[in-house]
Amino acid sequence: MSTTLAAAADLDFTLAQQLTVIALCALTAFISHLALAVFNDGVRPFLLDFIQGRTTRSATTAVSFGLSAGFIFGLGAPMALSTGVLNPWLLFLPTDILGLLAPKRWIAPILGGAWGAVVVFGLNGANDIANDLPVDFLTAMQQMSTPILFLFTLFPVLAITKQFGRKWGGFAGVLELALVVMTMKIWPNMFAGALAMAVGVLLLIGLAIAKDLKQRKADRADLADLAAKQSPVEEPAGDDPMASLFSASAARLRRHLPLFMLLGAGIAVLAQSHIFGGGEATSFLIAKGDYSEAAQVDFYRVFGFIPLIATTALASGAYGIAGFTLVYPIGYLMPNPYLAALMGAAVFAIEVLALSYIGRFLGKLPTVRDSSEHLRSAITDTLQLAILFGSLMAASAMGGGLGILIVGGLYLLNEAMGRPIVRMAAAPAAVIVGGVLLNLLYWLDLFTPIKG
């Protein structure tokens, strides 16, 4: 399967697509202002103090900006410019900040809508300017697609190795490699990592469930033995403060169910328009028109985020802007925006209403809950390597050894300075800065662009 994109990313949106982006950015900023949901998982735990009045709006906004700025400018914007596909870091992280920043409720959707307009009207102009430069660094950034798509395939292997040891990890690695080779040979038009990822995730979940069931059986046997040896003792009744907090948070979210259903409908419609991808690998798959493979990739990511989003939502009273992210793959596969809106609204309604049950269910399966942590960690590890490697490939494409020197040097400098830009976003940001520097050197007659 080819992973080559068009020479220039297309960011020329239709009127309906422009209005969808603007309206959705306005809605997400409004929801963020109400502290009902944010996209950044790191910000959500801080919202409990804001909701309960123990911290100020400005302080919460500062936290959101500090945790989000690197992803917006270092990952969201470069990925959109290089693929022609919008992403949640570019759309929803800024509306997190703008919504929290807005002093009045009515100002939040205005600020969010304004950001949406900047994205849909400004990106295409920036893309045209960049593609007209002597050193076209945006086209060079499309070199990132191959390492991202193929290395991302390995995240289940890493998760299995971390949780269940080298033996199972080695087995999963050999199995995935065999499946990738088989897919490339038998189904050349299919994304080579699709089947391998499916089998890897299923193997991880199967191992986790088997371990939990075995442990629960052992625990029941231990309790039976203990009960047989001791007389029953009545325990004093008492309220569980965490259970009380979880219940109040779930009730708060349920009170705003219509707003969440509208949010789910909007995100699903955006995904159905195929100008939006929910992840790094997904953006490149959407750009190439591989919508079913994109849905499959984002579906696997769901398993890594359900426990995190559910527990932080129940603890803080604030949900995720994209929910469990299940709305992404559903949106990609819908045949029209009307059905996408209905399905998106239904998915969000089910998620919000089921939050308490999901929290209790996860409490009974600790190994499955731990698996999600390992999945998220593995996704981060694979993408960090893939993005760094892809960024160096882009640097070589636009400037040869000098490009690698500049981009790699900027990345290493960021590391030495304590990572003012988060690691995953540092390499793409370095490509853009490197591209600007190479163009300056060209205008100073100190650099000749590489042909081809």
Side-chain angles (χ1 to χ4, degrees):
M1 171 185 151
S2 172
T3 55
T4 303
L5 304 183
D10 181 15
L11 284 159
D12 190 13
F13 305 119
T14 66
L15 178 60
Q17 291 169 342
Q18 291 170 345
L19 293 176
T20 299
V21 172
I22 292 170
L24 186 58
C25 285
L27 177 61
T28 53
F30 179 70
I31 290 174
S32 171
H33 176 84
L34 299 177
L36 286 173
V38 289
F39 181 77
N40 194 320
D41 295 321
V43 174
R44 200 171 304 118
F46 292 93
L47 290 183
L48 181 62
D49 285 341
F50 174 67
I51 292 168
Q52 296 182 348
R54 293 194 296 268
T55 189
T56 64
R57 181 172 294 277
S58 59
T60 309
T61 303
V63 170
S64 180
F65 180 83
L67 293 175
S68 303
F71 286 103
I72 296 169
F73 301 109
L75 186 61
M79 287 292 293
L81 287 168
S82 61
T83 63
V85 176
L86 302 178
N87 57 71
W89 306 285
L90 182 64
L91 294 184
F92 303 146
L93 288 180
T95 58
D96 280 359
I97 299 167
L98 293 171
L100 291 169
L101 176 68
K104 300 291 184 181
R105 182 177 296 189
W106 60 272
I107 297 177
I110 294 176
L111 293 177
W115 174 254
V118 168
V119 169
V120 295
F121 295 117
L123 276 183
N124 199 43
N127 184 68
D128 290 341
I129 292 171
N131 283 305
D132 289 337
L133 292 172
V135 180
D136 183 0
F137 54 87
L138 293 185
T139 299
M141 287 186 71
Q142 295 175 3
Q143 297 287 331
M144 296 169 63
S145 64
T146 300
I148 286 177
L149 288 173
F150 280 89
L151 286 176
F152 186 74
T153 302
L154 293 173
F155 79 87
V157 177
L158 268 65
I160 290 170
T161 305
K162 290 180 178 180
Q163 188 170 15
F164 296 103
R166 287 177 289 181
K167 179 181 176 181
W168 277 111
F171 172 77
V174 172
L175 180 61
E176 283 210 4
L177 177 60
L179 290 171
V180 168
V181 173
M182 183 185 75
T183 303
M184 295 176 74
K185 184 68 175 178
I186 301 176
W187 303 292
N189 294 324
M190 176 180 172
F191 171 44
L195 181 60
M197 279 190 288
V199 172
V201 171
L202 289 174
L203 178 60
L204 175 66
I205 294 173
L207 290 171
I209 291 176
K211 183 176 180 179
D212 276 332
L213 292 178
K214 183 178 179 181
Q215 185 61 47
R216 290 184 67 184
K217 183 178 180 180
D219 290 343
R220 283 196 296 267
D222 291 342
L223 287 174
D225 291 341
L226 186 63
K229 295 176 181 178
Q230 296 179 350
S231 57
V233 179
E234 185 176 347
E235 296 184 0
D239 294 329
D240 182 353
M242 288 305 296
S244 177
L245 174 62
F246 281 15
S247 178
S249 296
R252 178 176 187 263
L253 296 176
R254 286 196 297 269
R255 286 197 299 270
H256 296 89
L257 185 61
L259 196 58
F260 283 114
M261 293 176 68
L262 181 61
L263 175 62
I267 294 176
V269 169
L270 182 64
Q272 192 278 333
S273 70
H274 300 147
I275 62 167
F276 174 89
E280 301 86 349
T282 314
S283 293
F284 286 107
L285 290 169
I286 292 289
K288 294 189 285 88
D290 296 333
Y291 307 131
S292 59
E293 285 89 346
Q296 190 175 353
V297 169
D298 271 354
F299 178 73
Y300 301 144
R301 291 173 67 110
V302 170
F303 295 103
F305 288 89
I306 285 179
L308 171 69
I309 294 169
T311 52
T312 55
L314 290 170
S316 67
Y319 199 39
I321 284 293
F324 294 146
T325 71
L326 188 59
V327 70
Y328 294 158
I330 289 174
Y332 302 149
L333 298 176
M334 289 297 103
N336 60 67
Y338 307 106
L339 186 57
L342 289 174
M343 289 298 295
V347 167
F348 259 57
I350 293 170
E351 288 180 6
V352 172
L353 293 174
L355 263 179
S356 295
Y357 302 102
I358 293 172
R360 288 198 291 269
F361 175 77
L362 291 172
K364 297 177 181 178
L365 297 174
T367 308
V368 173
R369 189 173 64 246
D370 291 343
S371 293
S372 73
E373 299 285 343
H374 290 293
L375 274 176
R376 284 200 314 279
S377 174
I379 288 172
T380 300
D381 290 343
T382 53
L383 287 175
Q384 281 178 351
L385 176 61
I387 290 172
L388 174 59
F389 188 65
S391 296
L392 292 175
M393 290 173 63
S396 178
M398 69 183 182
L402 180 59
I404 293 174
L405 172 67
I406 293 173
V407 172
L410 289 171
Y411 180 86
L412 292 173
L413 181 62
N414 183 71
E415 289 286 306
M417 295 171 62
R419 300 192 198 116
I421 299 176
V422 290
R423 181 176 282 168
M424 191 177 293
V431 174
I432 291 182
V433 174
V436 172
L437 289 176
L438 288 173
N439 278 290
L440 290 174
L441 291 174
Y442 168 81
W443 288 322
L444 292 172
D445 201 22
L446 297 173
F447 172 72
T448 301
I450 293 177
K451 302 297 181 182

